[in-house]
Structure formats: structure tokens, C-alpha cells
Amino acid sequence: MTSANPRVGLIGLAVMGKNLALNIADHGFDIAVFNRTTSVMDEFIKENPGTPGQLVGCQSLKEFVAAIARPRVIIVLVKAGPAVDSIVQQLIEAGLDADDIVVDAGNSLWTDTIRREKDYAGKLKFFGSGVSGGELGARFGPSLMPGGDPKSWKHLEPIWTAIAAKVDARTGQPIPGAEPGKPVQGGVPCTAYLGPNGAGHYVKMVHNGIEYVDMQLISEAYFLLRSLLGLKPDELAEIFSDWNQTELDSYLIEITADVLRQKDPRNKKKFLVDVILDAAGQKGTGKWTASNALDMGIPANSIAEAVFARCMSAIKGERLIASKKLRGPVIKKLRAGKAVVEAIRQALYCSKICAYAQGFQLMREAQKEYNWKLDFGSIASIWRGGCIIRAKFLQKITDAYQTNPQLVNLLMDPYFRRQIQNGQDDWRKVVTLAANNGIPAPAFMSALAYYDAYRCAVLPANLIQAQRDYFGAHTYERVDSPSGQFFHVDWPAENRPEIKA
Ligand code: NBP
């Protein structure tokens, strides 16, 4: 017999579910757990005795539903997609009440969350929440991005606030040091209610889109340093460690230094990075972000470029053949010196600012489309700890949106304007170096193109409009007539009159 009295349950004991369940139990919440393959659950219970809150293993969903006090808060962490609907359907059959809250904490597509909230209305309260931070984040403090009915949030809030990563209220820096059974006390939790229906999953998707660019930019910096300076991985690790003491201070830079120091477990004379195949995988959230940018007509070109860069990496066989046939310049090695390293650091920082600017532009557009009221300062602040893109400079983004909640683009914030002003000469030099030496740096280049296009009062789209009118009578607006008036010329005959369309 158990003395436990869970108000919360969790379904799906893979990497994320196991760790999140332990995190919840560490904070004193009794928690019922279930996994489709029940042996996984049995093993999990056996391996984890003595958490402050009790883990109650359940052999069936009926038993699981019966074990939780009402209104139930049930966290689902199964593979995103049809498995979520399958589980919800089974929960309904197992006796869930209309007041029970089902929190989909996986990487679900935000439109699925909007649909599910409607589909299950009256049967249960469906709620979406992004969770970021991978295995360790889930265990000791993730960044949590909840969206759904505000009344449901009231039930989830105490749990989410307790288990989220914490940052120092004054500096915004993550508070380290959580360990099993001893969660961090104090600090500001990296979670906040973001808005109704799909808002949480949308923000999580954009987080992942930014994560794709962040990783691509770091890999391009690594590749340039390596190709131009001929440095070895452990020497590069030192550079990344140094960069982690600057504005680039972030989880991804920190782990890059670790990765570069790692020796091959099969052959200690080699570095692991040198024996890892250069073909990057992806699970789809970057692609969702890029295709949503295309759907909404928002220029998030670096996010798209980062997805395409993974696609390019994946066609390794074709690249191998092409590498023997297609010619480019011979790389002119440079002498390793502070100036080149600093230029690449600046290029990385300026490009990173553009990538975040694009991500926030996307969220700004989405909130119009879905009638959300996203608080961008709050979003940046809950990304300061726990998640994969956690970084010191997120505090600056929080500051920018707190100073001006109507900020149109991050590039227009005085701090970020100054940063790009300081770094852009180096950024341009690095992009030139990459082009002249034939070293691919698509995210650096696309970020610079984004910056230059955004600051350009006149783009060559006038010519595009003329071409469109020529071949398809698509009409154009004139710079000397009010906006919304359209004209057409009967091309190509000379001196044909302009017709108001
Ligand atoms: P996976 O995404 O690998 O899913 C495995 C879990 O889903 C197992 O518990 C499995 O049960 C269960 N499952 C599947 Br598959 N199909 C099911 C079905 N039809 N009915 C019931 N259960 C089913 O696990 P994960 O990597 O822990 O991720 C969980 C969620 O969190 C995903 O949405 C993921 O995208 C998201 N996420 C993952 C990370 C990460 O770093 N891994 C980070 C952030 C978010 P079984 O044991 O019976 O097969």
C-alpha cells in the first residue's frame, strides 16, 4: 500500500519523461507514472527509490487515472504526432473528467495544439507546453513554455514554477548546482504563461529554429578557424572557452569547447569530432519554423539557411563526388593571430543577433495571425536558463523589450545597434574571407544579407515589379502616388500610356 496522493501524473518514460518525473518528485510532488511498454516503467520505479515525492508506477491507464486526485494534471511526453492523440483518446476511455488537464509537453506542432484544444473541449482540458533543455534540463531545471487556457495554467503553475530552471534575479545568469533530491532554492523560474492554445508550442518551435541557426553559426566559426588557421580541435576548444567569457557566453559555446576537447574513445590519439560523420540529422522543428516563415512572409532567411545547411550536409555521397569535379579557390592559410580570431568572433556575434531578430519577428507576426499577446521580454527571460539556447545576451533582449515593448525589430534597439556597429567591419571581412577561399559559411552570409537588406531604404524589388507587370500584368505601385494605387503598362511598345489598374 502506498501513502502517496498524486495530483499529477506523467505518461511517456523515455529520456524527457523519466527526467521530468524525477524533477517533479524531487520538488515534493507525488507523481503517478505510466509508459506504454510497462517494463520501462517497472525498471524506472526500481531504479529510483527515495525521491522526496513518491513515484507511483501504474500498469494500465485505468489504474493511472484512478491513482490521481481530481482535477488531475496529466503530463504527456510521448513522441510528437499521432501518439499524442492516441494517448488522449485512451485517457478519455480510461475515465478522465472534463475538468482534468492534459499537458502535452512534447514538441508538438502548434496548429495541432490549437486543433486538439478544440477537439477535446468538454472531454478534458488540453494544454500545450514547450520543454527545452534536453535530458539534463528536464532533470534539474528546464525552460518551460506553457500555452493554453489560463484556468488550466493555475493548476499547472505551481509544478512548472517549482521544476523550471532558475536564474539570478539581478544578473539573469542561471543558478547552477541542482542535484538529485536537492533542487535549487530561490531565483526566478524560467517559465511564464505565454498565451492561449498553441502559443507555448509556437514559442518552443521558434526557440528550436533559433537553436538551429545558433548551432550552424558556431559550426561555421569552427570551420573557418580550422580551414584558415589550420588549428587542431583542442586549440579551437581554447578559443571557444575564451569566447565563453565574452558576450557569446552561452550553453552552446560552452559545450562546443567540451566537444572539441573530447578524444575518440576508440583511439585516444584522435579527436572525436574528426571521426564523426559530417551529416547532420534533424527532427523537424527547424523546418517547421522556416516553412512557417515562408507561409507568413517573414524574412527569417538565416533560420531557413540553417535547415538547408543540414540538408546539404546530409547529401554526403553527392558532395564527395562533386568535391572531385567542381573547382574552387585554393584556401590561403592565414597566420593564427588575435585579429582573425576576433573577427570571426564578431562575425558570429553579429550573425547571432540577426538570427534572434528573425525569430522575434516571426513571433511578432504569429501573434497577429493567432490573436495572441506575446510578451517578448518575458519570452527572452524564460530562455535565460534551462534551455539549449540559454545565453548571457538573452538578458539584453529582455532589457530591450522591457524598455520598448513595441520594438519593431531587435536590430533597432540601441544596444544591439551598437553591437553590430562595432562588429560589422570584422563581419564583412570574415564573409569576404569565406567567399574568397571557397569556404561555405551560409548562415554568416545570409545573416549579413538580412542586415544589409533590412537597413536598405531602396531594394531592387522595383525591377521585379516591372518584370511581373511585363509578363503577367501584375501591376505596380508608384513612388510618387499614394500607396494602394496600382498601375499597368502595356509593354513593350514605346510610349504606351500608363493605365490605372
Ligand atoms: P521520444 O520522442 O523518443 O518518444 C518515446 C516515448 O513515446 C516512449 O515513452 C514511447 O513509449 C512513447 N510512445 C510512442 Br514512440 N508511441 C506511443 C503511442 N502510440 N502511445 C503511447 N506512447 C507512445 O521521447 P523523448 O525523446 O523523451 O521526447 C518526448 C517528447 O519531448 C517528444 O515530443 C520530443 O520531441 C520532446 N522533446 C525531446 C527532447 C530531447 O532532448 N529528447 C527535448 C525537448 C523536447 P514506449 O516506451 O512504449 O515505446
Side-chain angles (χ1 to χ4, degrees):
M1 268 306 275
T2 168
S3 58
N5 183 23
R7 306 283 313 246
V8 57
L10 186 145
I11 299 171
L13 294 171
V15 180
M16 294 301 280
K18 273 182 187 169
N19 285 291
L20 208 75
L22 289 173
N23 188 353
I24 291 170
D26 265 357
H27 285 83
F29 298 96
D30 293 341
I31 177 166
V33 290
F34 174 80
N35 193 70
R36 178 181 61 175
T37 310
T38 48
S39 57
V40 172
M41 183 274 298
D42 291 333
E43 200 63 24
F44 174 67
I45 298 288
K46 214 178 333 147
E47 283 170 359
N48 293 287
T51 43
Q54 287 195 45
L55 299 165
V56 181
C58 303
Q59 296 293 335
S60 69
L61 280 174
K62 227 177 174 106
E63 192 185 315
F64 174 80
V65 168
I68 307 169
R70 297 200 312 238
R72 304 172 179 95
V73 174
I74 295 174
I75 300 158
V76 177
L77 262 162
V78 298
K79 194 176 165 70
V84 175
D85 285 304
S86 160
I87 277 290
V88 176
Q89 209 50 52
Q90 290 174 59
L91 279 168
I92 293 168
E93 285 157 22
L96 226 56
D97 291 333
D99 285 342
D100 292 335
I101 299 147
V102 172
V103 182
D104 175 13
N107 274 338
S108 289
L109 187 63
W110 83 101
T111 46
D112 281 344
T113 307
I114 294 174
R115 179 207 25 103
R116 285 176 181 136
E117 194 194 72
K118 283 195 194 130
D119 282 359
Y120 300 123
K123 296 179 182 144
L124 51 87
K125 303 212 178 307
F126 193 85
F127 194 91
S129 179
V131 177
S132 177
E135 185 175 1
L136 278 179
R139 180 67 186 89
F140 298 116
S143 171
L144 298 165
M145 293 156 247
D149 171 27
K151 285 191 204 129
S152 301
W153 170 238
K154 287 288 154 229
H155 293 278
L156 180 64
E157 189 175 8
I159 305 165
W160 254 212
T161 305
I163 67 165
K166 306 290 185 308
V167 293
D168 185 286
R170 201 175 45 81
T171 63
Q173 288 288 84
I175 300 178
E179 49 185 291
K182 289 192 186 152
V184 166
Q185 304 295 327
V188 181
C190 292
T191 187
Y193 176 73
L194 297 176
N197 51 59
H201 276 140
Y202 187 86
V203 170
K204 172 63 184 1
M205 178 192 75
V206 173
H207 163 285
N208 284 26
I210 292 174
E211 178 185 309
Y212 270 58
V213 195
D214 237 340
M215 293 170 74
Q216 176 63 26
L217 290 169
I218 293 172
S219 76
E220 288 177 16
Y222 149 82
F223 206 43
L224 283 161
L225 287 166
R226 199 153 194 193
S227 311
L228 290 169
L229 305 179
L231 296 174
K232 295 206 279 298
D234 53 349
E235 294 168 318
L236 294 169
E238 290 309 310
I239 292 175
F240 281 99
S241 287
D242 288 347
W243 287 1
N244 210 33
Q245 309 304 315
T246 70
E247 302 95 325
L248 286 177
D249 179 343
S250 63
Y251 173 69
L252 282 169
I253 293 281
E254 181 190 327
I255 67 165
T256 301
D258 285 350
V259 165
L260 290 169
R261 280 192 195 100
Q262 176 71 43
K263 291 282 174 61
D264 176 8
R266 288 196 196 167
N267 178 352
K268 297 281 180 215
K269 287 189 184 134
K270 288 185 178 171
F271 287 97
L272 182 60
V273 72
D274 289 336
V275 293
I276 293 179
L277 188 76
D278 56 326
Q282 48 182 320
K283 282 198 166 171
T285 44
K287 188 185 93 179
W288 290 349
T289 318
S291 70
N292 176 242
L294 287 170
D295 286 345
M296 295 199 302
I298 294 297
N301 49 341
S302 307
I303 295 176
E305 202 58 70
V307 179
F308 287 136
R310 289 197 191 187
C311 301
M312 180 61 91
S313 80
I315 51 168
K316 172 84 177 174
E318 271 184 59
R319 286 192 288 113
L320 273 174
I321 295 165
S323 70
K324 296 191 176 72
K325 301 258 184 220
L326 304 182
R327 294 219 154 154
V330 175
I331 294 175
K332 287 199 193 85
K333 292 268 189 232
L334 302 172
R335 209 175 305 142
K338 278 197 176 135
V340 190
V341 173
E342 175 58 11
I344 296 175
R345 189 187 76 81
Q346 288 288 2
L348 175 53
Y349 187 42
C350 292
S351 304
K352 182 176 166 121
I353 293 170
C354 289
Y356 280 71
Q358 293 167 29
F360 280 86
Q361 290 282 85
L362 266 180
M363 291 189 283
R364 198 167 140 253
E365 188 63 23
Q367 73 165 349
K368 282 191 231 153
E369 187 133 345
Y370 294 102
N371 216 5
W372 299 328
K373 288 193 173 53
L374 299 177
D375 177 339
F376 301 122
S378 173
I379 291 168
S381 83
I382 67 174
W383 288 348
R384 290 177 303 179
C387 64
I388 303 298
I389 63 170
R390 64 183 178 265
K392 191 174 171 187
F393 102 135
L394 280 159
Q395 182 61 43
K396 297 291 184 192
I397 301 184
T398 302
D399 295 345
Y401 282 108
Q402 277 174 355
T403 308
N404 178 9
Q406 309 310 323
L407 188 65
V408 170
N409 186 308
L410 213 49
L411 296 176
M412 301 300 281
D413 171 72
Y415 171 81
F416 289 111
R417 249 177 24 221
R418 269 198 314 279
Q419 297 301 302
I420 293 212
Q421 192 49 39
N422 289 341
Q424 67 168 300
D425 286 352
D426 277 336
W427 190 13
R428 292 181 194 285
K429 266 184 226 148
V430 169
V431 165
T432 309
L433 267 175
N436 285 344
N437 285 284
I439 302 167
F444 277 12
M445 289 175 174
S446 83
L448 184 57
Y450 174 81
Y451 178 70
D452 281 336
Y454 193 70
R455 64 179 193 84
C456 210
V458 179
L459 285 169
N462 48 351
L463 185 59
I464 293 172
Q465 283 301 84
Q467 291 164 336
R468 292 180 70 240
D469 191 56
Y470 188 116
F471 64 68
H474 291 301
T475 75
Y476 54 86
E477 289 175 286
R478 294 184 57 105
V479 293
D480 52 4
S481 295
S483 157
Q485 279 188 13
F486 292 90
F487 299 88
H488 167 63
V489 165
D490 200 4
W491 313 81
E494 234 176 283
N495 300 325
R496 285 284 179 90
E498 192 175 50
I499 306 151
K500 211 163 151 188

